[in-house]
Amino acid sequence: MFFSGHTQKVRERPFPLESHLMPQVPRGNYFHFQEEKQRLQLKKFLLHRLFLVAKITVNIEKKDLAHYYEQVFQSILKHHLGEEVTGVLLMYPTYILHILESSSGTLYRILLDYVDHETKEGEYFIQGMKIIVMSHNIPTRIFMQWQVSTIKVPVMYLDDVTQSQSLEEVITEFLTQTHKLALYLFKTVKVSTKGPGDNLHQVAPELLLPEQIIKYLYKSEEFMDPKTFLNMYNKPIHVTLDSDVVWPAPSQF
């Protein structure tokens, strides 16, 4: 080989930067880091995020609503192993804001549970649910667990933005504020703890949406209810082939 005549010389005088150029621990890139992160999280399904608003039924105990959702999640988890639900349930005096993260199958069953109760006679905990946003294939969770907070004090702004802003602007503010709140909970709430609980309006009042925005979105006709969403979800997709249009011809030439 080309370096065969200098083998002995190289052995006697090793390259001084050899230890720096050839580290003992190989360096990984960002792609490998993301792969390892996903592997550690045991992500076996696509992750989605769902934003819901609804009106609380009169004379309903809010703690009963939170307890009911816990039972629903545990029941669904038996059929969807490993597909935990994370998010936050904010219960205002009259309305709720519910953010959920899980697989499409789990979120589907949560909506189906509401539709089943809506079609039955008798009172349910909430009514008039609307789907504000459905984010598909999100890269990671922003909530480490599902938590509940009761907003006992009405959160109001001096100016009602729903009277001066368009629907697009209200939704933008809605998503911005919920994202800020999620980041705050992500940084401050430890896993397996209850979080701020009913003190959220005291520790971070600037991060909470005013209830009039929740009410505005609830009354808006531009958003779908769960029943309409599920009907669209279950509707088969029919594709018309070119051959079906071209041949046979609708009339003789």
Side-chain angles (χ1 to χ4, degrees), residues 43 46-49 135-139:
K43 186 175 181 180
L46 295 178
L47 196 60
H48 310 281
R49 185 177 297 122
S135 302
H136 297 280
N137 304 339
I138 57 178

Side-chain angles (χ1 to χ4, degrees), residues 81-198:
L81 297 177
E83 302 178 14
E84 293 183 328
V85 177
T86 57
V88 62
L89 172 61
L90 301 180
M91 296 185 290
Y92 292 80
T94 308
Y95 299 88
I96 69 166
L97 166 60
H98 204 177
I99 306 175
L100 299 165
E101 298 174 331
S102 191
S103 67
S104 59
T106 298
L107 297 179
Y108 175 89
R109 284 181 172 269
I110 294 173
L111 295 177
L112 186 61
D113 175 80
Y114 170 80
V115 174
D116 290 341
H117 284 89
E118 190 180 35
T119 55
K120 297 178 181 178
E121 294 183 358
E123 288 189 347
Y124 185 51
F125 297 102
I126 53 178
Q127 55 187 344
M129 179 182 288
K130 294 289 185 65
I131 299 175
I132 306 303
V133 178
M134 179 73 166
S135 302
H136 297 280
N137 304 339
I138 57 178
T140 186
R141 300 176 186 263
I142 56 177
F143 298 96
M144 294 296 101
Q145 60 190 4
W146 185 76
Q147 45 198 307
V148 182
S149 182
T150 301
I151 314 300
K152 298 180 180 180
V153 179
V155 180
M156 301 289 292
Y157 287 156
L158 296 178
D159 298 326
D160 188 355
V161 297
T162 61
Q163 301 295 325
S164 58
Q165 294 182 350
S166 65
L167 177 60
E168 291 76 12
E169 292 173 331
V170 173
I171 294 178
T172 300
E173 181 176 353
F174 169 83
L175 294 175
T176 301
Q177 284 296 105
T178 53
H179 184 70
K180 291 180 179 179
L181 176 62
L183 291 179
Y184 170 81
L185 296 176
F186 179 82
K187 295 178 181 179
T188 58
V189 178
K190 297 181 180 179
V191 180
S192 300
T193 60
K194 295 183 178 180
D198 296 342

Side-chain angles (χ1 to χ4, degrees), residues 5 7 33-34 39 51 53 56 62-63 80-81 83 88 104 130-131 148 154 192 204 206 211 214 219 221-222 253:
T7 303
F33 170 77
Q34 291 295 332
R39 186 187 68 80
F51 295 78
V53 298
I56 302 175
K62 294 181 174 62
K63 62 180 182 179
H80 295 261
L81 297 177
E83 302 178 14
V88 62
S104 59
K130 294 289 185 65
I131 299 175
V148 182
S192 300
E206 72 282 358
E211 190 174 20
I214 309 298
K219 291 188 174 183
E221 298 180 355
E222 280 76 7
F253 293 101

